[in-house]
Amino acid sequence: MKALKNTFVGFLVSFLGSIPLGYLNIVGFEIYSKFGMNSLVFFLLGVMSVEVFVIYFTLIFANSLANNKKLMKAIEIFAVFFLLILAYSFYTHSNQTSKNHNYLEKYEMYSPFLIGVFLNCLNFLQVPFWTGWNLYLINSGYISTKKELKYFYVSGTLIGIFMGMLTLILALHSISKNTGSLTEYVMPVIIPMFFVALAFFQAYKVSQKYYRLKKN
C-alpha cells in the first residue's frame, strides 16, 4: 500500500509540475511539430534521464540541501536571471518571419535524446523545486523513503513528468493546428512575457525568503 501511495504522490506532483509552460515544453512542441512523435519521445526520455538523478539525490539529501542556505540562495537568485535570459531568447525570434521561425536551428545536428539531456541540465529551477517538494512530502508523511519505497516514488515522478509534458505538448500542437497563431504571436510575445512574470515572481520569493528575514 505504501508503495502504491509513493508512486501516486510522485506522479501527481511531477505531472502538475510539468504542466506550466517552460522552455523544455516549448522545445518539445517544436520537436514534435517538425519531427513527429518518435523524436518527441526520445526528447522526453532525455529530459527524464537527467531528472531521475535530480529527483533521487534531492530526495536523499533534501535536509542537507535545505540547510545549505548559501547554495540554495545562489541557485534561486541565478534562477531569476535564467528566466530573464529565456525571455530574451524567445523575444529575439519575434522579428523573424514565420517561414524562418526556428528555435531548434542550432540543435538540429544532435539527436532529440541529447537535446533533452543538454537542455534539462540547464534547468536550474528543478533543484529548489524538488528539494522543497521532497522535504514537504517527507515531513508531512505523504511518502516514505525507507528501503525500496523511495524507488517507487521516483518511478512515479518520472511517469508524471513524461505524461505531463506529453499532454501539454500535444495540447499546444492542437491549438496551433486549429488557430495557426501559436508560432506567429503566442510563441514570440506571450511566452517571453510569461518568463518575465516568472522571473519577477521568483525575485519576489527570494526577497521574501532571504532579505525580509534580515530586516526582521
Side-chain angles (χ1 to χ4, degrees), residues 94 96-98 101 176 179-189:
S94 63
Q96 298 180 10
T97 62
S98 59
H101 207 286
S176 174
T179 64
S181 63
L182 189 63
T183 56
E184 295 177 6
Y185 181 72
V186 177
M187 294 287 282
V189 180

Side-chain angles (χ1 to χ4, degrees), residues 165-180:
M165 291 186 67
L166 181 64
T167 299
L168 180 60
I169 290 167
L170 293 180
L172 288 174
H173 185 264
S174 177
I175 294 171
S176 174
K177 189 175 180 180
N178 292 330
T179 64

Side-chain angles (χ1 to χ4, degrees), residues 30 88-106 183-185 187-189:
E30 290 287 319
Y88 176 77
S89 177
F90 280 97
Y91 176 75
T92 56
H93 291 82
S94 63
N95 293 325
Q96 298 180 10
T97 62
S98 59
K99 181 178 180 180
N100 296 324
H101 207 286
N102 186 6
Y103 295 102
L104 294 174
E105 186 176 354
K106 56 184 176 181
T183 56
E184 295 177 6
Y185 181 72
M187 294 287 282
V189 180

